[in-house]
Amino acid sequence: MSAIDSSGGRRELAGLALIACLIVAAFFAAMIGAKDAFAALRPADASVIELLKARLPKTKVSKVDCAVVGGLCEVTAGNNLFYVDRSGRYLVIGRVYDMETRQDLTATRLLEINPDTLIGGAAKANNAADSGEPPIAKAVGAGAQPTMPATPSRISLDGLPKDGAIVWGNPSGKTVTVFSDFRCGYCRALSNTLRSMNVRVVERPISVLGSRDLANQVYCAKNRETALHQAYAGEPLRNAATCDTSGLDANERFARSHGLNGTPVIVRADGAMIEGYRPKEALASFIAGGRS
């Protein structure tokens, strides 16, 4: 073989090698693309959507996500949220709470769906009463309130004694009174929001979720504000003391007499009242005296 032939052969082999590399690269790119497309399709989600179409034909399902909670699929229907198992047979109405991260997953998603919605224990689907489908009704419990009307209702706090209040926040800020329960997740979320605002909070615990023992400990603590935030964070309260808790009794009598059956209840200085959690922007508008 001549030198010219040898050089040409090497060039030919190099060209073939380059073509082979391009083919392999294209193959792997196609495989990766196929994998991404498969992941985007989420067959489990798609199959649940089809099952729901058959079993809840009048419910307009906008999204199904079976990757949020193990064993359950999160279903979004307009501004409403509920859960089904992967077979589409069992429907679950209520809140999903992550005990490891201490996060209310349902509350978080509902705020993402509609930040202006007062969130309760669960979601309400927009089924007609005569739809013939299983009712997807709002669960009753602490914080389970409908969306707030344009004009807040009003309540007078004149009948409440000074005792029974845990005052915290900025002493010179605008005052807001909160009826709360230390085992209410929405009360904890509200407390965290209020801590980031320039307000004075007069917190009045009421035992909606069987939290009177915890309320007693917080109220009798040497530093009530610190104890309050520890209670919401689920931290143990040390150096528990005893004291006169008749003020807490007054809070509960007041709540019962005024029909305050859920928490949180937020009362502005002029007596305007809203029930349930609100995002920071809407809460700031309400406290300032505007529409929330």
Side-chain angles (χ1 to χ4, degrees):
M1 181 180 292
S2 66
I4 295 176
D5 292 337
S6 176
S7 176
R10 286 196 296 272
R11 283 197 298 273
E12 185 177 352
L13 288 173
L16 291 171
L18 177 60
I19 292 171
C21 287
L22 290 173
I23 291 172
V24 171
F27 172 77
F28 279 108
M31 290 296 292
I32 292 171
K35 181 180 179 182
D36 290 342
F38 181 81
L41 285 174
R42 301 275 284 272
D45 299 2
S47 65
V48 170
I49 288 176
E50 293 304 313
L51 289 166
L52 289 175
K53 285 181 180 178
R55 293 176 177 174
L56 299 173
K58 295 185 180 181
T59 298
K60 295 181 179 180
V61 174
S62 50
K63 183 182 178 183
V64 171
D65 191 343
C66 297
V68 178
V69 182
L72 290 177
C73 297
E74 178 188 271
V75 182
T76 306
N79 290 334
N80 308 294
L81 198 69
F82 58 96
Y83 305 88
V84 296
D85 71 323
R86 290 175 184 262
S87 73
R89 176 179 177 181
Y90 299 102
L91 187 148
V92 180
I93 301 169
R95 292 183 296 191
V96 174
Y97 188 83
D98 188 330
M99 292 190 291
E100 184 172 326
T101 63
R102 292 180 179 177
Q103 183 182 12
D104 190 326
L105 303 181
T106 306
T108 301
R109 280 290 292 124
L110 283 172
L111 276 177
E112 292 172 357
I113 294 170
N114 184 4
D116 292 328
T117 298
L118 285 174
I119 321 176
K124 178 179 68 178
N126 42 10
N127 293 358
D130 58 351
S131 66
E133 298 183 4
I136 306 173
K138 181 179 64 180
V140 176
Q145 304 293 339
T147 50
M148 195 193 112
T151 303
S153 57
R154 293 184 176 273
I155 189 172
S156 172
L157 302 177
D158 292 342
L160 280 168
K162 182 179 179 181
D163 293 340
I166 301 172
V167 182
W168 59 275
N170 182 2
S172 59
K174 287 198 170 186
T175 297
V176 59
T177 298
V178 178
F179 291 89
S180 61
D181 187 299
F182 292 121
R183 292 195 173 99
C184 161
Y186 300 110
C187 300
R188 180 177 64 251
L190 177 65
S191 175
N192 290 336
T193 300
L194 290 172
R195 289 182 80 177
S196 67
M197 301 172 65
N198 191 32
V199 294
R200 174 179 176 265
V201 181
V202 178
E203 189 145 353
R204 290 188 173 272
I206 55 177
S207 181
V208 174
L209 299 173
S211 61
R212 180 56 189 267
D213 57 336
L214 187 55
N216 288 344
Q217 293 180 55
V218 173
Y219 189 73
C220 294
K222 184 176 181 180
N223 186 323
R224 290 175 178 172
E225 180 174 352
T226 298
L228 178 144
H229 297 306
Q230 287 176 335
Y232 276 133
E235 299 174 4
L237 301 183
R238 298 180 177 85
N239 303 320
T242 58
C243 66
D244 179 5
T245 58
S246 59
L248 299 181
D249 297 332
N251 291 346
E252 297 190 1
R253 284 195 301 271
F254 181 89
R256 285 193 300 270
S257 65
H258 289 80
L260 306 182
N261 298 316
T263 53
V265 176
I266 309 161
V267 185
R268 206 165 57 196
D270 63 353
M273 177 187 75
I274 55 175
E275 301 178 70
Y277 175 79
R278 280 277 177 175
K280 183 176 180 179
E281 293 78 11
L283 191 59
S285 175
F286 170 72
I287 294 173
R291 287 176 57 181
S292 59

